[in-house]
Amino acid sequence: MAESGVAIDLENLPEDAAALRELVTNAELENAGLRAEIDKLHMMIKGFQRHRFGKRSEQLDAEQMQLVIEDLEQTMGAGAAAGDARAAAEAKNGQPNSPKPVRRQRNLGQLPASLPRFEVVIDLESKTCPCCRGDLHCVGESRAEMLDILPAQLRVKVIRRPRYTCQACDTPITQAPAPPRPIDGGMATEALIAHVLISKFADHLPLYRQAQIFSRQGIALDRSTLGDWIGRACWWLRPVYERVVSQIMAAEKIFADDTGLPVLDPGRGRTKTGRFWCYAVDDRPWCGRAPPAAAYVYAEDRKGIRLMAHLANFRGTVQVDGYTGFGQVVKERADASVKLAFCWVHARRGFFEVHASTKSPIAAHALAQIAALYAIEAEIRGQPAALRQAARQERSRPIIEALHGWLNQQLPRISKATKLAEAMRYTLRHWE
């Protein structure tokens, strides 16, 4: 908890002007840190309120909220440092009873044993006893660990290829062939190109900022050069990507979902919404042999023809949400080679939202039945397919049949305009 402010002992103010100025400065920094902590808590409360009660257009974006909190936490850190300095100075001046600064909860934990260690020994300058002038003997030591970092360091890879000739005959000069480079004639190694790729696509670091980072180490790299590296690397990696996609599409059952993302729209001065479709397979819960995999496929929009192109070579079951585009894929397959398995998570979401806002007993009953299905799945996860099927037929089937009848019985009694009725219709519409 943050205190309301820092108390200064007005009866024991230092007479030295410089010491007094330092005392006031530290007190102000500490108070600023406390005020920042209060602002952070207010921001979090408002964010939760907007998320819970606000309109969708007014809800605070999580990333924007994190940026604001980061700035406040920096101010809080400066205030905490000032408080530590104030407490140390007052203790040194013989004021042990002054209020100690409140320590914030820090991320303190045991550092991973896999990290390399280097030791710094802080020893006494003199190992002579100050009383009897005899030799001091080591009886132990205290150890403390701190997390350190070695900044990324550029280095030059020098490839030497000795040339040989025979002194006894006219054999031409020979040498080992030059190793292939990821970019013909380029100076970037595989490690450097991988670093640029990860920085851009995993850490969202634009190329112009990466160029600035390289410049600080004395390396002038134009943004267009970095862009050329990425384009060539993507070309080399495309067969790997296509292999992953083909492996997923060869499975008997896959998961499919999409998410929107802003895409630059040159000439219009704004962005448009593209779609990232994710296709995944994970057979681990039921002891499958295939390794888990996920592939993302970009599409300009959410039209059904995109799904038809993506799933053109797929034969099997697709676990999906309620998007109608998947239904178009099924209709286009005259041989019924694609089946849909609708997700209980999406069906549950509507009842959960209703119950969270209204405490509806009908929504609570639906959630309880779905929870019972989840409990059965948790018990049989990892068991052979035959045992799982038998358990579902014996235990899950009666719950599902009873829930289906109950939903059909309850729906006519509820106003069609309510969210509860909408959740029921969604569930019944995707029952088969």
Side-chain angles (χ1 to χ4, degrees):
M1 293 295 292
E3 295 180 356
S4 59
V6 178
I8 298 178
D9 188 358
L10 299 179
E11 300 297 331
N12 296 292
L13 292 176
E15 296 181 358
D16 181 67
L20 181 60
R21 185 181 298 107
E22 182 180 0
L23 175 64
V24 174
T25 300
N26 287 338
E28 177 57 29
L29 286 174
E30 191 172 358
N31 283 332
L34 295 173
R35 290 193 297 268
E37 185 172 0
I38 294 173
D39 291 341
K40 173 188 173 181
L41 295 175
H42 285 169
M43 176 66 67
M44 295 176 66
I45 292 172
K46 289 181 180 179
F48 293 144
Q49 289 175 336
R50 288 183 183 179
H51 179 75
R52 178 67 180 82
F53 302 108
K55 298 179 180 179
R56 185 175 296 272
S57 60
E58 298 176 353
Q59 291 180 0
L60 187 64
D61 183 78
E63 294 183 356
Q64 294 176 348
M65 184 175 178
Q66 288 297 327
L67 289 175
V68 177
I69 290 177
E70 285 177 6
D71 291 339
L72 293 175
E73 287 178 336
Q74 292 173 16
T75 305
M76 292 162 56
D84 292 341
R86 173 183 62 82
E90 291 176 349
K92 184 177 180 180
N93 294 331
Q95 296 176 303
N97 295 325
S98 59
K100 296 182 179 180
V102 178
R103 289 189 174 272
R104 295 178 58 213
Q105 183 177 359
R106 298 175 181 174
N107 185 20
L108 297 178
Q110 187 173 3
L111 297 175
S114 58
L115 294 179
R117 260 73 172 170
F118 72 98
E119 295 186 351
V120 178
V121 180
I122 310 298
D123 206 349
L124 295 174
E125 294 183 1
S126 174
K127 298 182 177 63
T128 302
C129 178
C131 297
C132 66
R133 311 307 297 174
D135 293 334
L136 296 177
H137 299 277
C138 182
V139 294
E141 66 178 10
S142 60
R143 297 176 63 93
E145 292 189 341
M146 300 174 66
L147 187 61
D148 191 29
I149 185 173
L150 289 175
Q153 182 180 8
L154 294 172
R155 61 182 182 179
V156 178
K157 180 180 180 180
V158 180
I159 301 175
R160 298 175 56 208
R161 294 188 296 137
R163 292 181 292 184
Y164 299 91
T165 185
C166 180
Q167 300 289 339
C169 62
D170 295 332
T171 302
I173 295 176
T174 60
Q175 66 179 161
R181 299 190 180 192
I183 299 175
D184 291 338
M187 64 177 177
T189 63
E190 298 87 345
L192 181 57
I193 295 175
H195 174 77
V196 174
L197 284 169
I198 293 173
S199 297
K200 176 175 173 60
F201 296 112
D203 300 331
H204 309 289
L205 194 62
L207 295 184
Y208 77 90
R209 292 184 181 174
Q210 294 193 50
Q212 293 172 352
I213 294 173
F214 285 121
S215 178
R216 288 201 298 267
Q217 300 195 44
I219 303 298
L221 288 175
D222 191 75
R223 181 172 59 180
S224 62
T225 301
L226 297 177
D228 180 69
W229 292 357
I230 288 181
R232 291 174 181 270
C234 290
W235 184 84
W236 281 108
L237 292 172
R238 186 162 189 84
V240 179
Y241 166 77
E242 292 176 347
R243 177 64 173 170
V244 172
V245 173
S246 65
Q247 286 288 98
I248 293 173
M249 294 303 170
E252 297 180 356
K253 177 182 178 295
I254 65 174
F255 306 89
D257 202 358
D258 72 310
T259 184
L261 74 161
V263 180
L264 292 177
D265 192 8
R268 299 182 63 188
R270 57 181 181 179
T271 60
K272 60 181 179 180
T273 301
R275 311 299 301 187
F276 250 144
W277 290 93
C278 178
Y279 299 96
V281 59
D282 188 358
D283 294 343
R284 291 174 297 179
W286 42 88
C287 301
R289 297 181 179 180
Y296 293 86
V297 183
Y298 174 75
E300 297 181 356
D301 49 49
R302 214 184 184 207
K303 295 179 180 178
I305 56 175
R306 313 297 181 192
L307 293 174
M308 296 178 191
H310 299 167
L311 300 171
N313 298 321
F314 178 73
R315 302 289 185 274
T317 302
V318 188
Q319 183 172 330
V320 299
D321 58 11
Y323 174 51
T324 56
F326 291 108
Q328 297 179 23
V329 176
V330 175
K331 291 179 181 179
E332 289 293 325
R333 298 290 182 90
D335 57 354
S337 57
V338 173
K339 297 180 180 180
L340 302 181
F342 293 101
C343 180
W344 275 107
V345 172
H346 290 86
R348 178 185 181 277
R349 184 177 301 165
F351 294 107
F352 176 81
E353 293 176 351
V354 171
H355 184 264
S357 59
T358 66
K359 305 301 179 184
S360 166
I362 297 178
H365 179 77
L367 291 173
Q369 301 308 302
I370 297 174
L373 295 175
Y374 281 15
I376 295 173
E377 290 298 313
E379 291 180 20
I380 64 177
R381 184 175 294 117
Q383 297 183 9
L387 293 179
R388 295 198 315 274
Q389 183 180 17
R392 287 168 180 164
Q393 290 294 326
E394 179 183 355
R395 302 170 58 188
S396 300
R397 188 182 185 91
I399 297 175
I400 292 176
E401 291 178 346
L403 179 60
H404 184 258
W406 179 80
L407 288 172
N408 282 312
Q409 185 181 31
Q410 294 293 329
L411 183 58
R413 305 175 181 176
I414 300 173
S415 173
K416 296 181 179 180
T418 62
K419 291 290 185 180
L420 180 58
E422 181 181 338
M424 289 183 169
R425 287 194 297 269
Y426 177 93
T427 305
L428 292 172
R429 187 166 59 249
H430 302 101
W431 197 266
E432 296 298 332

